[in-house]
Amino acid sequence: MQSYVLPVKLLADMPLIPEKTFVAFNLGYAPTFARIGGTWQQENPVTIALSASTAIPGNAFLGVEIRQLTLNQHGFFSGRALFVGPSLFVRLSNAIVVKVAWEAQIPAETAGRNDLVNYERNEVRAQFAWDF
């Protein structure tokens, strides 16, 4: 299999209460071209996310995120999922941070059901960053 991806993201955040409460908006587009069995396939996934977080004791932020994922294959809409869940961001030191998030798929307002063909029921994401 041979594949090429060109992810493009727009990330924006702003404080509602400086050093205490933040909101963020993320938009992502990742056109993907894959050669499987001698034929090329194309996907154009789009991600839209809105989140809010607030400081809690211990160099940490507790938040909530809502994300909508859409999938277009060969120019046709083929799937959509809406995820909601909590996140935790902890600064372990001046150079090390950890973020953990869990999101559950909820029925989209237009479909009235989960898309379990193209997406998982639950997603868990963990990020570790080390600044050196």
Side-chain angles (χ1 to χ4, degrees), residues 28-85:
Y29 175 65
T32 305
F33 303 91
R35 185 177 178 151
I36 301 171
T39 61
W40 286 94
Q41 297 180 3
Q42 179 182 356
E43 293 181 352
N44 297 302
V46 175
T47 303
I48 301 171
L50 182 62
S51 63
S53 60
T54 191
I56 59 175
N59 292 328
F61 284 86
L62 184 61
V64 64
E65 180 178 72
I66 183 166
R67 277 188 316 132
Q68 179 170 316
L69 307 174
T70 60
L71 182 62
N72 297 300
Q73 293 178 324
H74 307 294
F76 297 100
F77 173 73
S78 62
R80 177 170 48 184
L82 188 62
F83 288 90
V84 176

Side-chain angles (χ1 to χ4, degrees), residues 86-110:
S87 64
L88 178 65
F89 175 91
V90 180
R91 180 170 296 282
L92 300 176
S93 71
N94 285 339
I96 300 172
V97 296
V98 174
K99 180 183 177 185
V100 178
W102 167 73
E103 295 173 343
Q105 187 179 158
I106 62 172
E109 70 286 349
T110 55

